[in-house]
């Protein structure tokens, strides 16, 4: 390769680096679906900010393929689970969306869910309570048009709407490593309805990388030398593997110093030096290769 090719490699790496870092972040054990939309916004920003010459076609193609997959095919920002989770993460809220209108749509989805949380709907169990098509339904049909604004104003003043607006006006958390579930655990009394939605939408992981690593660890624990391991012990091993860090346990062993003396070193028996008899080595055959002298 000539120097020009190495320079081109450096430019290609600059394009691929944001993709690698985003993939690595999305495969973390602690990440949730709330970070998918902000990560996509960041990767588009990072790649778009690259101004190297000679890779414009590659840069445009990468961005086009991402748009084709995440916008045209799946439209992640309009997917209910991802959009609501993004808004309910106090690190992102509406700032995590690439398009402002998608943030507005996410607010409407949250309001719809909050209405169900605040006023749960009970399914009709029997035909006795089913709505009638008789003259009683006319009360719902014949509503004066001028009274619609009053009902809308009353809906806007619903407690859960006020709760959502207060949450969105609150300053976003600057520390991007903070766990959003910890936030909602602390703020549950202040935002009770949103806290319920937070526990519902902020738990699912964005992919299967974590579970796949867990199965790989299980394969390593249950090896050929431990086939008799009981299920309870197997489960305990895997639990400790993934939770021992949360308990603050350090696995680093102290280094052995040069002046270390074993506790029972003075009580060890002296080594007995035996004599080797000729008959013990008479059957030993020494084989040398042809190229040895």
């Amino acid at each position: 390769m000539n120097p020009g090719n190495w320079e081109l490699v450096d430019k290609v790496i600059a394009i691929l680096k944001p993709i690698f870092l985003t993939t690595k972040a999305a495969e973390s054990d602690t990440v949730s679906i709330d970070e998918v939309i902000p990560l996509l916004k960041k990767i588009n920003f990072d790649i778009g900010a690259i101004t190297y010459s000679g890779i414009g076609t590659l840069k445009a193609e990468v961005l086009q393929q991402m748009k084709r997959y995440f916008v045209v095919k799946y439209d992640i920002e309009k997917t209910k689970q991802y959009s609501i989770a993004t808004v309910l993460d106090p690190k992102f809220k509406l700032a995590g969306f690439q398009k402002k209108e998608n943030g507005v749509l996410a607010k409407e989805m949250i309001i719809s869910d909050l209405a169900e949380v605040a006023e749960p709907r009970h399914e009709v169990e029997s035909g006795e309570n089913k709505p009638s098509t008789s003259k009683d339904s006319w009360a719902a049909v014949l509503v004066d048009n001028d009274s619609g604004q009053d009902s809308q104003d009353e809906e806007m003043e619903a407690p859960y709407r006020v709760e959502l607006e207060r949450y969105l006006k609150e300053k976003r958390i600057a520390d991007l490593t903070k766990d959003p579930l910890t936030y909602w655990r602390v703020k549950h009394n202040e935002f009770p309805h949103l806290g319920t939605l937070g526990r519902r939408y902020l738990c699912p992981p964005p992919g299967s990388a974590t579970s796949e690593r867990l199965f790989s660890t299980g394969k390593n624990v249950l090896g050929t030398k431990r086939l008799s391991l009981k299920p309870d012990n197997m489960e305990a091993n895997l639990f400790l593997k993934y939770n021992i860090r949360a308990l603050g346990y350090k696995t680093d062993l102290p280094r052995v110093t040069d002046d270390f003396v074993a506790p029972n070193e003075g009580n060890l028996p002296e080594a007995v030096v035996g004599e080797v008899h000729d008959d013990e080595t008479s059957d030993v055959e020494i084989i040398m290769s042809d190229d040895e002298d």
Side-chain angles (χ1 to χ4, degrees), residues 130-141:
K130 291 182 179 180
S132 174
T133 56
S134 62
K135 63 179 182 180
D136 295 336
S137 63
W138 284 108
V141 174

Side-chain angles (χ1 to χ4, degrees), residues 125-181:
E125 299 180 357
S126 62
E128 298 178 358
N129 297 326
K130 291 182 179 180
S132 174
T133 56
S134 62
K135 63 179 182 180
D136 295 336
S137 63
W138 284 108
V141 174
L142 300 177
V143 178
D144 294 335
N145 292 331
D146 56 356
S147 63
Q149 184 64 38
D150 295 337
S151 61
Q152 185 177 0
D153 293 341
E154 293 177 0
E155 185 180 8
M156 286 297 296
E157 295 299 323
Y160 53 83
R161 284 179 173 266
V162 177
E163 183 179 318
L164 176 60
E165 293 300 327
R166 284 194 296 110
Y167 164 71
L168 293 176
K169 290 179 181 179
E170 192 180 73
K171 187 177 180 180
R172 288 184 291 107
I173 296 178
D175 188 357
L176 297 180
T177 62
K178 289 292 184 181
D179 184 2
L181 290 175

Side-chain angles (χ1 to χ4, degrees), residues 84 88 109-111 113-114 117 184 192-202:
I84 290 181
L88 293 179
M109 295 179 184
I110 292 178
I111 291 174
D113 274 22
L114 286 174
V117 172
W184 288 114
H193 301 100
L194 287 174
T196 302
L197 291 186
R199 291 193 298 272
R200 179 187 300 174
Y201 286 99
L202 294 174

Side-chain angles (χ1 to χ4, degrees), residues 243-264:
N243 293 278
I244 198 167
R245 289 173 294 180
L247 300 176
Y249 181 81
K250 296 182 179 180
T251 57
D252 296 333
L253 297 176
R255 296 184 60 184
V256 179
T257 58
D258 297 334
D259 57 348
F260 174 77
V261 178
N264 59 347

Side-chain angles (χ1 to χ4, degrees), residues 85-100:
T86 302
V87 177
L88 293 179
D89 191 325
K91 303 189 298 290
F92 307 121
K93 298 184 179 180
L94 298 179
F97 294 87
Q98 296 187 60
K99 296 183 179 180
K100 185 177 180 181

